[in-house]
Amino acid sequence: MTQILIFGDSITYGAWDKEGGWVQRLRRFLDEKNLTSPDFYFVVYNLGISGDTSEDLLERFEFETKQRLKEHKETIVAFAIGINDSQFVHSEGDHRVPIEKFKNNLQELIKLAQKFSLKIIFVGLTPVDEKKTTPIPWDSDKFYKNEYIEKYNQVIKKVCEENKIYFIEIFEKFKATGYQELLEDGLHPNSKGHKRIFEIVKDFLIKNNLI
């Protein structure tokens, strides 16, 4: 029996997907396999909270993980975080979480996760439609730009390489297509976008014998 704990933000939670988001789609995929394969059993926990940054995850990660640990279960820890860290706050003249602080937070998250699992995964960030996110309609002080998101995505990738842990590239795969059609409000994926993230994550997990 294996449990997968997926920590993240509103995209992880599944905002704007009528089927519950890419994590819910992964859970449904694994639930179907659980029912047909006696030796196959995975439990998926969606631990996404809207608006979360790496700072927020550091505050809740260890407590929430401990509540879900079960004896004799293998644990996989996945993080899908960073797009809110990259958010530029105009009134402050800086990112919500400055990039060096972000890098340090990722290192600390990895250190904490290694207490519970040797299988740690980071899911990369998604691009935005800047026509709708500079600024975002619901807060004129906050901006999301692909230039910033790409820099934060590269930090995640580099930290994963340095720590020899898994990284799932999403940003480049979205950018290679007409990704604006995969977004609901310019920031959050729509149902097609969540389906695409699910497919990328699922294929990666299978390829690396994690599921």
Side-chain angles (χ1 to χ4, degrees):
M1 183 179 291
T2 301
Q3 53 188 8
I4 306 177
L5 279 58
I6 306 178
F7 291 85
D9 48 31
S10 57
I11 297 175
T12 306
Y13 170 75
W16 297 110
D17 182 9
K18 62 184 178 181
E19 295 191 26
W22 70 265
V23 176
Q24 181 62 26
R25 290 169 182 267
L26 178 63
R27 175 183 170 177
R28 187 167 61 248
F29 170 78
L30 292 174
D31 282 348
E32 290 174 358
K33 292 193 71 173
N34 290 340
L35 293 171
T36 57
S37 304
D39 298 326
F40 183 97
Y41 193 74
F42 281 79
V43 176
V44 177
Y45 291 100
N46 186 333
L47 298 164
I49 295 180
S50 179
D52 261 14
T53 66
S54 59
E55 297 269 273
D56 299 307
L57 272 192
L58 280 173
E59 292 181 5
R60 66 184 176 92
F61 170 76
E62 193 162 9
F63 175 81
E64 292 193 3
T65 298
K66 286 179 178 178
Q67 308 316 303
R68 292 163 177 84
L69 290 181
K70 304 293 182 183
E71 288 187 34
H72 311 302
K73 282 188 180 179
E74 183 178 34
T75 300
I76 297 172
V77 176
F79 297 108
I81 199 72
I83 197 165
N84 290 325
D85 296 71
S86 77
Q87 180 190 89
F88 192 83
V89 183
H90 187 266
S91 61
E92 298 178 6
D94 203 353
H95 299 281
R96 189 166 162 192
V97 178
I99 199 160
E100 282 302 315
K101 178 64 174 173
F102 176 63
K103 181 178 180 179
N104 292 337
N105 288 347
L106 297 184
Q107 293 285 6
E108 187 62 25
L109 282 171
I110 291 169
K111 183 179 177 181
L112 291 172
Q114 287 173 336
K115 293 182 180 181
F116 308 108
S117 177
L118 296 177
K119 294 181 178 179
I120 301 167
I121 303 164
F122 276 84
V123 179
L125 308 181
T126 48
V128 297
D129 183 348
E130 293 183 359
K131 296 191 298 293
K132 299 179 179 180
T133 63
T134 54
I136 51 176
W138 55 93
D139 192 335
S140 61
D141 194 36
K142 296 175 180 177
F143 294 71
Y144 290 89
K145 290 188 175 183
N146 287 322
E147 174 188 355
Y148 304 149
I149 296 168
E150 186 171 15
K151 287 179 180 178
Y152 278 68
N153 194 60
Q154 286 301 316
V155 167
I156 300 170
K157 186 174 183 179
K158 184 176 181 182
V159 168
C160 288
E161 289 173 352
E162 292 171 349
N163 288 274
K164 295 181 172 58
I165 60 176
Y166 298 106
F167 173 76
I168 304 177
E169 178 64 64
I170 304 291
F171 188 90
E172 293 299 332
K173 291 183 178 180
F174 263 51
K175 288 279 282 186
T177 65
Y179 71 90
Q180 291 88 346
E181 297 178 0
L182 303 177
L183 302 173
E184 178 67 28
D185 55 4
L187 173 61
H188 300 92
N190 56 25
S191 291
K192 289 182 180 179
H194 278 283
K195 183 175 184 289
R196 179 66 179 131
I197 296 171
F198 155 67
E199 290 169 345
I200 295 170
V201 172
K202 176 199 58 147
D203 291 348
F204 182 95
L205 295 178
I206 292 172
K207 181 180 179 181
N208 288 276
N209 298 312
L210 292 166
I211 60 173

